[in-house]
């Protein structure tokens, strides 16, 4: 059984005291005797230090640990413990690293681990197929291998949900979706997914909707025209008036849906509006739109800044939001329309109503096509369920953002902020 540190050290101090005593008694020179005892103690300590240093320098192996007791034994024990802990930690880290690498190897996406300078630390096989980045490229800057301003921007500043679409540097007909995942302050993971097929399917769906709407437009206009003629014919038997009126209303509703679908596909067909943009005076647009509605609307113009955009689209955006505020609130409800300078010099168009508001669970879905909160009311008002999808698309085309804030029983605020 090993003795505790202090009993061993007390034992050593006793030996020093004893040798000093014997030396002092034999020679009568107490100080010299003490000096001799201490000298031998220091030499012994120095020898222990030498042993300890040699052990540390030779890799602190357990079997070579210096044979000692007392404080020296405790020190070597602590050194061994710390070493074992760090070895175990290293083993665990290596196992973890191997496991993550094998997951990423089998990943259906290209995965590239980048260091904080955007140099490639590691990449999987798929990154060779999609991004032309192979094992030999490790250590190189990703920007030098995948030349894309969009990737450059994503690497410089990206938030959690940011994704960009680029053409594959290996094959220009392959479209990739890139995303950055931060994995600590020192590294990040760049993921690239092949979305060529997904984009083709989306394109086919968009074209189908656009073609179907085009094909339906003419026959519906004819049907609607005939129904209107019959409706206005005074010789129409009274028994049929109700049915013809209903048929005419439904055909008009279908026409509105088709017109909105065509508007949406036109808005989605191109993103670049630079060539068709003009200066738009929003104050004029608001006054013009509000004139058409027979309701008291409070207009607050707090800035005379203008924006660049497509005037017909901005008119449609304002009309949709103001119309909704009137349709979905009881008659006479207060409505405020504002044009003001928001945060970071943004210019914001806002429509606030004090109606019954929209329950929170619906808010995230309002810009989806055909999403309606109050289906009955929307249909009665001739709503298509596409108005906010159109507003959102127009805002997006003008680099703006639509924000919806609503509280049941208090009212709703729809804000579109454009970069100033
Ligand atoms: P719709 O053609 O049905 O009006 P929208 O896309 O414009 O379609 O609006 C979607 C749904 O959002 C509407 O059906 C309505 O239920 C709800 N909504 C829109 N604006 C308001 C508002 N100001 N107050 C309450 N509900 C609203």
């Amino acid at each position: 059984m090993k003795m505790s540190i202090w009993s061993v050290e007390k034992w050593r101090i006793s030996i020093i005291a004893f040798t000093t005593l014997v030396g002092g008694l034999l020679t009568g020179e107490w100080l010299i005797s003490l000096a001799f005892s201490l000298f031998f103690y220091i030499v012994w300590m120095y020898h222990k230090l030498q042993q300890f240093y040699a052990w540390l320098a030779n890799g602190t192996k357990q079997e070579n640990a210096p044979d000692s007791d007392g404080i020296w034994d405790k020190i070597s024990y602590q050194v061994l413990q710390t070493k074992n802990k760090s070895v175990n930690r290293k083993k665990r880290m290596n196992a973890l690293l191997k496991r993550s690498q094998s997951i990423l190897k089998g990943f259906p996406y290209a995965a590239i681990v980048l260091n904080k300078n955007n140099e490639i630390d590691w990449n999987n096989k798929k990154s060779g197929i999609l991004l032309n980045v192979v094992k030999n490229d490790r250590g190189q800057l990703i920007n030098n291998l995948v030349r894309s301003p969009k990737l450059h921007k994503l690497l410089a500043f990206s938030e959690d949900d940011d994704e960009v679409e680029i053409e594959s540097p290996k094959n220009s007909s392959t479209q990739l979706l890139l995303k950055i995942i931060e994995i600590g302050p020192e590294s990040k993971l760049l993921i690239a997914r092949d979305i060529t097929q997904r984009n083709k399917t989306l394109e086919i769906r968009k074209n189908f909707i656009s073609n179907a709407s085009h094909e339906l437009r003419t026959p519906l206009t004819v049907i609607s025209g005939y129904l209107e003629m019959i409706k206005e014919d005074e010789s129409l038997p009274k028994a049929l008036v109700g049915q013809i009126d209903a048929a005419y209303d439904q055909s008009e509703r279908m026409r509105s849906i088709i017109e909105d679908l065509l508007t949406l596909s036109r808005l989605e067909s191109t993103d670049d509006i630079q060539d068709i943009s003009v200066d738009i005076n929003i104050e004029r647009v608001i006054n013009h739109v509000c004139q058409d509605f027979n309701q008291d609307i409070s207009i607050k113009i707090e800035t005379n800044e203008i924006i660049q955009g497509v005037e017909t689209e901005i008119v449609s955006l304002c009309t949709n939001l103001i119309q909704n505020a009137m349709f979905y609130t009881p008659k006479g409800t207060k409505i405020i329309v504002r044009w003001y300078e928001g945060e970071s010099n943004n210019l914001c168009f806002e429509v606030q109503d004090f109606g019954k508001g929209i329950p929170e669970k619906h808010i995230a879905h309002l810009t989806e096509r055909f999403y309606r909160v109050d289906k009955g009311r929307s249909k009665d008002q001739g709503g298509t369920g596409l108005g906010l999808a159109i507003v959102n698309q127009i805002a997006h085309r003008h680099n703006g953002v639509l924000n919806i804030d609503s509280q049941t029983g208090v009212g709703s605020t729809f804000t579109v902020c454009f970069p100033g």
Side-chain angles (χ1 to χ4, degrees):
M1 203 183 87
K2 288 218 170 195
M3 283 193 267
S4 78
I5 308 175
W6 283 115
S7 39
V8 173
E9 294 310 319
K10 268 187 224 155
W11 179 239
R12 284 196 186 115
I13 291 166
S14 312
I15 294 176
I16 295 169
F18 179 71
T19 50
T20 310
L21 185 72
V22 174
L25 282 175
L26 288 177
T27 60
E29 295 287 347
W30 290 94
L31 265 180
I32 293 176
S33 170
L34 179 65
F36 261 109
S37 304
L38 287 176
F39 174 73
F40 284 116
Y41 184 62
I42 289 166
V43 168
W44 179 82
M45 280 287 231
Y46 183 72
H47 167 70
K48 278 284 157 200
L49 263 176
Q50 279 274 329
Q51 271 187 338
F52 197 72
Y53 172 74
W55 178 61
L56 286 180
N58 291 320
T60 54
K61 290 199 179 103
Q62 187 159 14
E63 59 274 20
N64 300 336
D67 186 22
S68 50
D69 47 17
I71 191 76
W72 291 106
D73 181 48
K74 285 283 167 196
I75 293 174
S76 17
Y77 176 75
Q78 279 308 328
V79 169
L80 273 174
Q81 283 284 92
T82 316
K83 187 191 163 191
N84 287 344
K85 266 190 205 155
S86 95
V87 167
N88 287 342
R89 200 176 315 129
K90 218 166 161 186
K91 273 188 193 156
R92 271 206 311 275
M93 293 301 285
N94 275 341
L96 206 68
L97 195 70
K98 275 199 183 130
R99 203 163 350 133
S100 350
Q101 284 185 351
S102 67
I103 293 171
L104 289 176
K105 263 184 199 161
F107 222 41
Y109 312 139
I112 301 177
V113 178
L114 303 169
N115 65 16
K116 63 172 188 233
N117 302 321
N118 295 328
E119 289 155 352
I120 300 165
D121 269 352
W122 183 90
N123 61 297
N124 67 357
K125 253 199 190 139
K126 196 84 182 176
S127 66
I129 303 168
L130 296 182
L131 288 165
N132 214 9
V133 171
V134 293
K135 207 171 175 181
N136 283 348
D137 295 326
R138 290 183 190 173
Q140 291 207 51
L141 274 173
I142 186 75
N143 281 326
N144 290 346
L145 299 171
V146 182
R147 292 188 176 270
S148 152
K150 284 184 184 171
L151 171 65
H152 197 83
K153 219 165 138 191
L154 191 71
L155 287 167
F157 180 77
S158 88
E159 286 186 353
D160 279 359
D161 296 327
D162 286 352
E163 292 175 332
V164 293
E165 250 184 78
I166 64 162
E167 274 177 11
S168 161
K170 197 159 182 186
N171 176 358
S172 60
S173 62
T174 303
Q175 283 134 31
L176 303 176
L177 190 71
L178 306 185
K179 188 175 170 63
I180 299 278
I181 298 169
E182 296 291 335
I183 42 176
E186 296 290 299
S187 44
K188 49 194 154 206
L189 179 66
L190 169 67
I191 290 184
R193 185 153 63 98
D194 184 347
I195 51 160
T196 318
Q197 198 49 46
R198 186 199 79 168
N199 282 359
K200 269 188 194 147
T201 315
L202 280 177
E203 197 59 35
I204 291 169
R205 208 170 71 183
K206 262 194 234 161
N207 286 344
F208 171 77
I209 293 173
S210 164
N211 292 342
S213 308
H214 264 296
E215 293 298 325
L216 288 171
R217 193 190 215 174
T218 317
L220 256 176
T221 311
V222 174
I223 293 170
S224 212
Y226 275 123
L227 285 169
E228 192 175 11
M229 264 171 57
I230 299 169
K231 199 167 105 88
E232 275 159 17
D233 188 346
E234 285 177 0
S235 62
L236 180 72
K238 284 249 172 336
L240 289 179
V241 171
Q243 280 106 315
I244 294 293
D245 275 354
Y248 173 73
D249 289 347
Q250 290 303 322
S251 69
E252 279 301 291
R253 233 175 71 72
M254 276 168 78
R255 256 163 44 95
S256 309
I257 293 174
I258 281 169
E259 287 308 325
D260 277 358
L261 279 174
L262 284 169
T263 305
L264 258 177
S265 32
R266 191 176 41 76
L267 292 172
E268 283 171 349
S269 63
T270 107
D271 255 354
D272 194 358
I273 55 163
Q274 222 157 20
D275 291 347
I276 45 171
S277 287
V278 292
D279 286 348
I280 304 171
N281 181 334
I282 300 279
E283 179 179 1
R284 200 171 45 80
V285 171
I286 292 174
N287 286 326
H288 173 74
V289 172
C290 289
Q291 244 175 31
D292 290 348
F293 295 115
N294 192 17
Q295 188 164 328
D296 197 16
I297 298 171
S298 157
I299 301 172
K300 294 185 177 173
I301 306 294
E302 293 160 26
T303 174
N304 49 18
E305 291 286 333
I306 53 163
I307 58 162
Q308 286 266 309
V310 185
E311 182 141 0
T312 48
E313 292 180 16
I314 297 295
V315 170
S316 158
L317 179 148
C318 298
T319 311
N320 262 303
L321 292 180
I322 299 173
Q323 209 163 42
N324 275 353
M326 293 196 324
F327 282 175
Y328 298 108
T329 57
K331 208 169 170 39
T333 303
K334 189 174 174 190
I335 295 168
I336 303 172
V337 176
R338 274 175 83 205
W339 175 237
Y340 62 94
E341 208 169 311
E343 281 171 18
S344 352
N345 296 334
N346 276 347
L347 295 167
C348 304
F349 169 75
E350 189 174 280
V351 179
Q352 181 181 16
D353 69 59
F354 296 85
K356 65 175 181 174
I358 305 164
E360 169 136 31
K361 64 175 181 183
H362 296 292
I363 292 181
H365 302 286
L366 290 179
T367 53
E368 289 168 14
R369 286 161 195 218
F370 299 113
Y371 193 91
R372 295 171 176 106
V373 178
D374 185 344
K375 287 199 175 75
R377 193 175 176 100
S378 165
K379 282 182 184 159
D380 290 350
Q381 301 284 6
T384 60
L386 294 167
L388 290 177
I390 292 175
V391 168
N392 195 37
Q393 191 63 31
I394 295 174
H396 179 76
R397 270 161 71 81
H398 289 77
N399 297 319
V401 178
L402 166 68
N403 185 53
I404 306 169
D405 192 13
S406 188
Q407 236 182 307
T408 35
V410 178
S412 312
T413 307
F414 291 76
T415 314
V416 180
C417 287
F418 305 94

